[in-house]
């Protein structure tokens, strides 16, 4: 029978609940490869005895990891490690971690990363446990080909209330995240002779993913209104946009430019893929309505994900298809085979229906708003000699636009060596000299960690001077 590694010993003086300490240990070992796919975990009773905790504590931890997709459970076979699968579209991390990082081993101020210390572990564990007691069959079956019916209904309600999209459950396709959603959309919509328009600067994995599928890409430069329209006659038949909060610059596409894209799609028989990766995090007023919500032509496919607003471990996303594309996207999904785990879908549906998801969302919005504001104020107060910051009052990242005397790539290399997860703005563009700045995550770290990160960033900048 497998035994826990001696490296993990419960910290009984810690304020972190015991079941969460167990979760943290196993998550780290699975991510690092120390526990390989298919490896069996110790029996709950044996591990409880080894650690000196109640068996119920270990059961709760294991079920939490099952719900997050790290483990699989079969009656009579115990718990085994799941394949990690495809990751969400997210900025790449260095292969080796720099020294002297935070307690959790993260890079400070890493862009696009939520603070998983804020995850509602207890509420989620109670939801999972309740579902296991009352509807255990829903944890492994009942999802259907396009997602659990209750989750599709919950997502339809969410995008209606938060994104202004009047969607029915049958328009929702549950995916394993943004990567699979984009894969399905490009498979269904892009033509062999056509091109995919992508924002520049924009999120490089989107361009790389399209090109890896053999698609030709066209750059859509940004102006003050948002992404520019495709050049007439250039063969673009699909565009991928982040209109509610552009990545990485921030800012929202103007209403006029949105309508321009809708008219372009209708006139050219093209399609818009709306990547709405973090629009719930708008800190002034309600989130801006999605482009899909104002597209009366039915030419916009909406992609959403739970990785930023809930958990980056669930690997859960979704597509909201306009009426005319439901069958086409469903056929593409059938052809590729659904990859979303059945395990957490029923639990997430109930979590949303019970209001726990929205309590969590309101809480993290409040905390992230404070961190976002604090980071901008600190950069303006302490880095005015280096560059300037534009406050879009939204999103999970902040860009320090550098003065001409500074170059972003050497600064970023030095910052990452200091343990700061900065990204070079120039890396998001294929136009030489178009961008020069440092992209910083505003949400991953608390205020004390932010202060430490900025000390390190200043040190990195000084070392490149």
């Amino acid at each position: 029978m497998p035994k826990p590694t001696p490296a993990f010993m419960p910290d009984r003086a810690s304020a972190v609940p015991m079941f969460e300490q167990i979760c943290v240990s196993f998550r780290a070992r699975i991510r690092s490869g120390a526990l390989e796919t298919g490896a069996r975990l110790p029996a709950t009773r044996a591990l409880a005895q080894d650690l000196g905790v109640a068996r119920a504590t270990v059961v709760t931890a294991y079920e939490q990891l099952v719900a997050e997709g790290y483990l699989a459970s079969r009656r009579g076979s115990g718990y085994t490690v799941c394949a990690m699968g495809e990751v969400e579209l997210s900025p790449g991390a260095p292969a080796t971690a720099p020294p002297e990082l935070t307690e959790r081993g993260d890079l400070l101020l890493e862009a696009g990363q939520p603070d998983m210390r804020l995850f509602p572990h207890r509420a989620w564990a109670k939801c999972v446990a309740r579902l296991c007691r009352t509807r255990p069959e829903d944890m492994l079956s009942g999802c259907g080909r396009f997602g659990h019916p209750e989750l599709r209904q919950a997502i339809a309600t969410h995008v209606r209330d938060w994104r202004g999209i009047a969607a029915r459950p049958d328009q929702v396709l549950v995916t394993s995240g943004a990567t699979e959603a984009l894969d399905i959309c490009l498979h269904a919509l892009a033509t062999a002779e056509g091109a995919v328009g992508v924002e520049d600067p924009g999120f490089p994995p989107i361009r790389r993913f399209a090109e890896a599928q053999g698609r030709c890409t066209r750059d859509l430069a940004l102006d003050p209104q948002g992404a520019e329209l495709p050049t007439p006659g250039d063969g673009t038949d699909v565009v991928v946009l982040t209109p509610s909060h552009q990545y990485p610059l921030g800012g929202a596409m103007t209403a006029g430019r949105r309508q321009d894209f809708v008219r372009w799609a209708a006139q050219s028989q093209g399609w818009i893929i709306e990547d709405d990766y973090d629009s719930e995090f708008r800190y002034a007023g309600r989130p801006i309505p999605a482009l899909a919500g104002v597209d009366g032509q039915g030419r916009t496919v909406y992609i959403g994900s739970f990785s930023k607003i809930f958990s980056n471990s669930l690997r859960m996303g979704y597509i909201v298809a306009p009426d005319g594309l439901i069958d086409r996207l469903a056929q593409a999904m059938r052809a590729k085979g659904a990859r979303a785990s059945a395990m957490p879908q029923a639990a997430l549906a109930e979590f949303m229906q019970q209001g726990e998801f929205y309590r969590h969302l309101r809480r993290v919005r409040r905390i992230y708003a404070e961190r976002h504001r604090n980071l901008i104020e600190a950069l303006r107060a302490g880095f005015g000699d280096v560059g300037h910051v534009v406050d879009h009052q939204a999103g999970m990242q902040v860009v320090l636009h550098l003065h001409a005397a500074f170059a972003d790539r050497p600064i970023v290399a030095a910052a990452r060596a200091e343990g700061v997860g900065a990204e070079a703005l120039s890396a998001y563009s294929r136009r030489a000299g178009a961008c020069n700045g440092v992209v910083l995550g505003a949400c991953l770290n608390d205020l004390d960690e932010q202060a430490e990160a900025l000390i390190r960033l200043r040190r990195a900048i000084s070392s490149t001077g």
Side-chain angles (χ1 to χ4, degrees), residues 118-136:
L118 303 178
F119 185 82
H121 296 287
R122 290 183 181 276
W124 176 251
K126 287 180 181 178
C127 180
V128 172
R130 181 169 61 251
L131 197 63
C132 288
R133 288 195 309 271
T134 59
R135 292 187 291 155

Side-chain angles (χ1 to χ4, degrees), residues 199 220-223 225-229 241 246 253 257 261:
E199 296 171 334
L220 306 177
L222 300 179
D223 64 23
Q225 297 186 68
E228 295 180 346
L229 293 166
L241 304 175
Q246 203 279 332
M253 184 179 289
R257 182 60 55 83
F261 268 103

Side-chain angles (χ1 to χ4, degrees), residues 22 64 313 338:
I22 297 171
Q64 171 72 22
S313 300

Side-chain angles (χ1 to χ4, degrees), residues 169-187:
D170 66 294
Q171 294 176 261
V172 177
L173 307 176
V174 179
T175 71
S176 61
T179 301
E180 186 192 3
L182 183 61
D183 184 13
I184 291 168
C185 290
L186 290 178
H187 181 82

Side-chain angles (χ1 to χ4, degrees), residues 92-98 107 416:
T96 57
L107 287 168
R416 295 183 80 86

